[in-house]
Amino acid sequence: MEIENTAMAGTLESSDIQIMIGKGTDGIKIQLDSDVKKEFGEQIENVIRQTLLANHIDTANVKAVDKGALDCVIKARTLAVANRALGIADKPSWEVL
Amino acid sequence: MRMVLFLINNVNRSLPEDLMNQLGFKPFKSTTIDSTVVARTPHKVAISTGNDKVLNSIKEVVENNVADGMTISFHHHFREGDFVFNLVMQTIIDAGIKDLTLAPSSLTNVMNDMVVKAIEAGTVTNITSSGMRGTLGDAVSHGALANPVIFRSHGGRARAIEQGDIKIDVAFLGVPNSDRLGNANGMDGEAVFGSLGYALMDAQYADKVVLLTDNIVSYPNTPASIKQTQVDYVVKIDKVGDPDKIGSGATRFTKDPKELKIASTVNDVITNSAYFKDGFSFQTGSGGAALAVTRYLRESMKQNDIRASFALGGITKPMIDLLEEGLVDKIMDVQDFDKGAAESMHTSKNQQEIDASWYADPYNKGAMVDQLDVVILSALEIDTKFNVNVMTGSDGVIRGAVGGHQDAATAKLTIISAPLVRGRIATVVPAVSTVVTPGDSIDVLVTEVGIAINPKRQDLIAAMKKVPSVPVFSIEELEQRASKIVGTPKPIEFTERTVALVEYRDGTIIDAIKEVKD
């Protein structure tokens, strides 16, 4: 699906992740900033990528600022930002949840 | 490339054989301190019968007393409010002196950038400390220093000074007051910090002792913690420290439900152990949970009509309150974490200043920690062998201090209070990145979900089974629970190079810290 708007979800509180998403040109590009990047960077990017793909987004520029969020939080924030970007936040695609 | 050969010590850590031999270190064997006879190192005394040691210039003292290759020391009682360290180090760098060994009691954040600068200038080429953090920890972990840093506990440093492993040429000791001949204490003046505990070692064993103060008082100054018999020079400077940054002002109790849960469980463990009886002794730290423990313990002591014979270690205002209420008979005070504790030392004869040797030295005729019943300590990581890391972060970078951890852990009941996870970092792990305190010293781990007891303490396991409010798990169960929450981290990559060695309190090496690869 096409990204309609640039969107954001999440906060910079500890144990949260703030994700911004915009139109991309070449696949899903993720720019991650995290204190646990060394230990969990690949895992965090993987959760974001899989969640976006499940929502039929395969081209996007993502900027994520992680404050030690767990996978469930990363997934929830990615889902929210995907729905906002697709302009379907009022009618989220429940089937991909 | 040449192969690096390793020795394996009794907590199963690999230590670089070449380096160990070159520096004359032995691998850690056991927490048992053998009864033996040791010799104390001699130190020089420049005889003085004059009636004034006051100078106005640090530069003059440095130029006449510090030379290439010497060992210099400082104390860290001013903590984040320290002005003395940077002032003296800058003067030494400017004087072009090289190849010094820096041997402070510890290094606080306010000193970080100056130490990095001194390393870059070639002024400092060796460091021994209790710990380091921030930009300095980062620089050392990335190989900024050619020689490995030696980390020592407070008791271990006292031992090393007494035995001559650390041979201090010149000690620069900031004090909030001194008379013209060097009688000084930590209790009066602008920048008071209370106990001079760690600095007393330097005052006693350094060849040259330089006091720096902003407050010259009339002679003779009492009570004198540092004495005129030990001091070579008294240098007058504008300001020794920022009183607001020395300690936290009023200590506030945590409202964090997780910390409160941990604290109340710690209290349950203590009060249901055999050690909770009239005349018991304890030590708590300064963290949020530790302070909350003090509050719960106070209630339990009142309810059960139990008084403690002494409280030990780093002292806070809530501890002083216990003293004033008559719940604690004596406070044995090696350092004070807040103003309330620092100020009360003045008025209370039951708050005894003790030096680092008296506090925790394994090689003297009897240290306070040997008499300690209960201690509550923290951990960055604890593993399934109960080994504790308080030195390196989950990224492998140095960001902590041994402090009194190894020393106090010799108590009869050693409790580690720590959350199961911090953000995405597990506290209970399969293997800690750096062993600082051996699992053999640790008895109970308390987390917010429950406790784990060291299997060698069957007596405690039996006692805690009878306490319904304390869920008991195996440490493996807690480790799995943590890893289920956060996932499996990618292992940290290190190079072959050793950037630091961690001594156990008896001077053997408990672990080596490697340079991080990024």
Side-chain angles (χ1 to χ4, degrees), chain B residues 149-181:
Chain B
V149 172
I150 313 297
F151 288 116
R152 293 178 163 105
S153 73
H154 292 320
R157 177 178 192 262
R159 179 202 51 74
I161 290 173
E162 288 168 351
Q163 289 196 291
D165 296 349
I166 301 174
K167 187 77 204 75
I168 303 166
D169 292 296
V170 189
F172 294 93
L173 307 175
V175 281
N177 63 73
S178 170
D179 64 29
R180 65 177 195 273
L181 289 183

Side-chain angles (χ1 to χ4, degrees), chain A residues 32-50:
Chain A
L32 174 67
D33 176 11
S34 171
D35 282 346
V36 293
K37 192 167 178 174
K38 252 196 217 174
E39 304 94 306
F40 290 106
E42 281 175 25
Q43 171 72 3
I44 295 167
E45 291 190 19
N46 201 28
V47 171
I48 294 173
R49 183 166 285 114
Q50 293 311 321

